[in-house]
Amino acid sequence: MVTALFPRDPELPTASEPLTDQPSLAHGDTLASLLIDGTDLAGLKARGISILESVLRTVDFSGSRLEQLSMSDVELTGCNLSNVVAQRARLYRARVRNCRITGLLVSDAVLQDVTFTGCRIDLASFGASRLERVSFDDCRLQQTDFMQSRMQDVRFEDCDLTAAD
């Protein structure tokens, strides 16, 4: 069996339903096939949220605690994920572009088929996580922790890995 060396693209819906109201997310909620643009979700505290087949633009999740967050077939552009704690998160088939991800904590997480492009991911921790077919392109990964992570087909291209573990 041949394993793909590069992340697979997310399977995004051809038309996403725009989210017109501020979402009120609680434990175990699922958002699917949405376009979420310019939404402030800073400081959100919820467990087991799922976001499926959706596009997120300039969404602010900063300081949120999202244990067991699950995202599949998503695209995030210009989002703020700084200081998010998402232990045991699952991220499948995702494109993450030009996002601020400083101080992210995703220990014991699974990332499969994910591409990070032009992101600031410094002071983050992927400790004890599994990364498969993940690409970091033109990202700042200064002082980022990958200790005890299991990596397969992970690529770092034009990244700043100063003092990363």
Side-chain angles (χ1 to χ4, degrees), residues 4-9 114-117 121 131-139 141 146 151-161:
L5 297 177
F6 298 104
R8 291 181 293 164
D9 286 332
V114 180
T115 302
F116 293 94
T117 305
I121 315 174
L131 287 75
E132 295 179 14
R133 294 177 306 280
V134 175
S135 180
F136 295 92
D137 301 312
D138 192 30
C139 293
L141 291 153
F146 292 99
M151 296 186 196
Q152 180 179 341
D153 298 325
V154 175
R155 177 179 69 187
F156 298 90
E157 189 165 316
D158 296 324
C159 293
D160 183 348
L161 290 156

Side-chain angles (χ1 to χ4, degrees), residues 26-37:
H27 299 303
D29 282 353
T30 298
L31 298 175
S33 299
L34 292 173
L35 168 59
I36 306 171
D37 196 353

Side-chain angles (χ1 to χ4, degrees), residues 105-109 124-131 145-149:
L105 173 62
V106 288
S107 62
D108 232 4
S125 177
F126 293 89
S129 293
R130 190 174 85 225
L131 287 75
D145 175 14
F146 292 99
M147 296 296 286
Q148 297 181 342
S149 292

Side-chain angles (χ1 to χ4, degrees), residues 19 80 109 136 150:
L19 185 66
N80 185 352
F136 295 92
R150 294 170 309 283

Side-chain angles (χ1 to χ4, degrees), residues 9-19 30-36 49-57 69-76 90-95:
D9 286 332
E11 297 174 15
L12 298 172
T14 54
S16 298
E17 181 77 23
L19 185 66
T30 298
L31 298 175
S33 299
L34 292 173
L35 168 59
I36 306 171
I49 291 174
S50 295
I51 301 174
L52 312 171
E53 298 176 353
S54 294
V55 176
L56 289 76
R57 295 184 195 139
L69 171 68
S70 179
M71 291 184 163
S72 180
D73 295 307
V74 295
E75 181 175 81
L76 290 82
R90 303 291 181 255
L91 185 57
Y92 302 108
R93 292 179 308 278
R95 275 192 301 254

